[in-house]
Amino acid sequence: VMSSYWPFGLTGCLSVGQEMLLPRISKRNKTPLPETVALVEDIVVEYITDLVHKAENVASKRGKLLTEDFLYLIRKDMRKLHRSTELLSMNEELKQARKAFDVNEETLVVTNE
Amino acid sequence: PMEVDLDKLPSGTSDPDKLAKMNALLSQFTEDQMNRYESFRRSGFQKSNMKKLLASITGSQKISMPTTIVVSGIAKMFVGEVIETARIVMSERKDSGPIRPCHIREAYRRLKLEGKIPKRSVPRLFR
């Protein structure tokens, strides 16, 4: 829980123009320097690219890229590992909730006819 | 289908002990800290943009939602590490004001030494 609190200001709203990811890093919500943003973007895109290539190597025997491949790569990074598994289970919960919602909707329609 | 932002949901709500600790921490926040924390919680990579990026890297159009979510989460945390480290560099140098590229470069160098940056099989020549 404590690890998810960053003491430093980070406002990240990333939008893509081609392969551009633009984080806005702000100190006390002021606008960051554009050259800093550009550099961080560069670094992040490179990070993601290298991460994906490594995951593809791990997945190569199987062929298809799975989330397990990424979890394997970050297995020694506790913060990233916990957050990733948390996000995945939240996503799964939402999926199940939506399914249940759709089923309930159908039931409602049937009983109203 | 409903579009839900996972970052808006509080983490660890199923664990009452975690929740209690979190509330204790949040109640100690100054207004400035609370604003920054909210920005942190709400910020993230857009799923559509991340999908495009992953598709261009893999050369495949089929990028699953879980993969997009996981990579977005990992990348966000990585950005946090870079910024946090840059802030530490700044305080060591007694630099004030906005974060500058030199701080980011030093942060990147330190993270590399810590093994937090995946190694390239083909090294970059210019950085």
Side-chain angles (χ1 to χ4, degrees):
Chain A
V1 156
M2 303 296 174
S3 64
S4 60
Y5 167 57
W6 294 342
F8 307 111
L10 168 66
T11 313
C13 252
L14 290 94
S15 56
V16 148
Q18 294 198 306
E19 57 271 290
M20 302 296 188
L21 293 162
L22 229 81
R24 290 198 311 260
I25 307 125
S26 65
K27 175 194 175 182
R28 299 176 206 287
N29 301 315
K30 284 182 195 141
T31 27
L33 295 178
E35 53 265 37
T36 306
V37 172
L39 180 58
V40 174
E41 173 183 320
D42 210 21
I43 288 172
V44 170
V45 170
E46 183 181 284
Y47 176 85
I48 293 170
T49 305
D50 292 343
L51 190 69
V52 170
H53 285 153
K54 280 194 138 186
E56 283 180 314
N57 285 339
V58 172
S60 60
K61 297 139 202 163
R62 200 194 315 113
K64 191 182 173 184
L65 201 63
L66 296 175
T67 54
E68 283 80 2
D69 302 320
F70 291 99
L71 296 179
Y72 173 76
L73 290 177
I74 55 158
R75 67 196 184 282
K76 291 183 185 157
D77 190 327
M78 284 303 114
R79 278 171 62 173
K80 293 200 182 81
L81 187 61
H82 285 156
R83 181 57 178 164
S84 298
T85 50
E86 181 183 53
L87 286 170
L88 285 172
S89 62
M90 278 164 72
N91 184 52
E92 193 54 39
E93 272 181 51
L94 284 168
K95 240 173 79 175
Q96 296 308 320
R98 273 183 226 131
K99 264 191 189 168
F101 179 77
D102 288 337
V103 169
N104 286 341
E105 281 271 284
E106 279 176 33
T107 321
L108 285 170
V109 171
V110 168
T111 52
N112 282 338
E113 282 170 0
Chain B
M2 294 182 291
E3 187 58 47
V4 181
D5 188 344
L6 291 178
D7 280 333
K8 294 215 174 88
L9 297 172
S11 60
T13 35
S14 52
D15 186 337
D17 190 42
K18 253 190 178 183
L19 194 60
K21 280 186 182 159
M22 199 61 209
N23 286 333
L25 180 65
L26 289 174
S27 64
Q28 302 290 316
F29 278 15
T30 63
E31 191 184 325
D32 178 58
Q33 285 174 324
M34 193 46 115
N35 289 337
R36 290 189 344 222
Y37 180 66
E38 276 175 24
S39 295
F40 152 68
R41 291 290 297 175
R42 292 198 186 120
S43 65
F45 293 90
Q46 295 241 298
K47 288 203 185 95
S48 54
N49 295 331
M50 183 57 80
K51 255 196 177 174
K52 275 186 214 159
L53 177 62
L54 294 177
S56 74
I57 296 169
T58 59
S60 157
Q61 288 306 306
K62 281 188 214 163
I63 308 292
S64 72
M65 188 54 76
T67 299
T68 307
I69 289 168
V70 166
V71 177
S72 296
I74 293 171
K76 176 175 170 175
M77 297 191 78
F78 174 69
V79 172
E81 286 167 350
V82 174
I83 301 304
E84 272 186 352
T85 309
R87 283 272 179 227
I88 290 169
V89 170
M90 282 180 81
S91 70
E92 287 170 7
R93 295 180 185 177
K94 305 215 179 357
D95 283 345
S96 61
I99 305 172
R100 301 200 304 276
C102 61
H103 305 131
I104 300 291
R105 280 180 217 279
E106 174 58 19
Y108 180 84
R109 192 191 68 86
R110 292 187 191 186
L111 288 174
K112 223 182 168 87
L113 288 174
E114 283 177 43
K116 295 233 158 183
I117 316 269
K119 288 187 192 133
R120 308 204 111 196
S121 41
V122 180
R124 271 236 184 171
L125 295 174
F126 306 106
R127 157 118 333 274

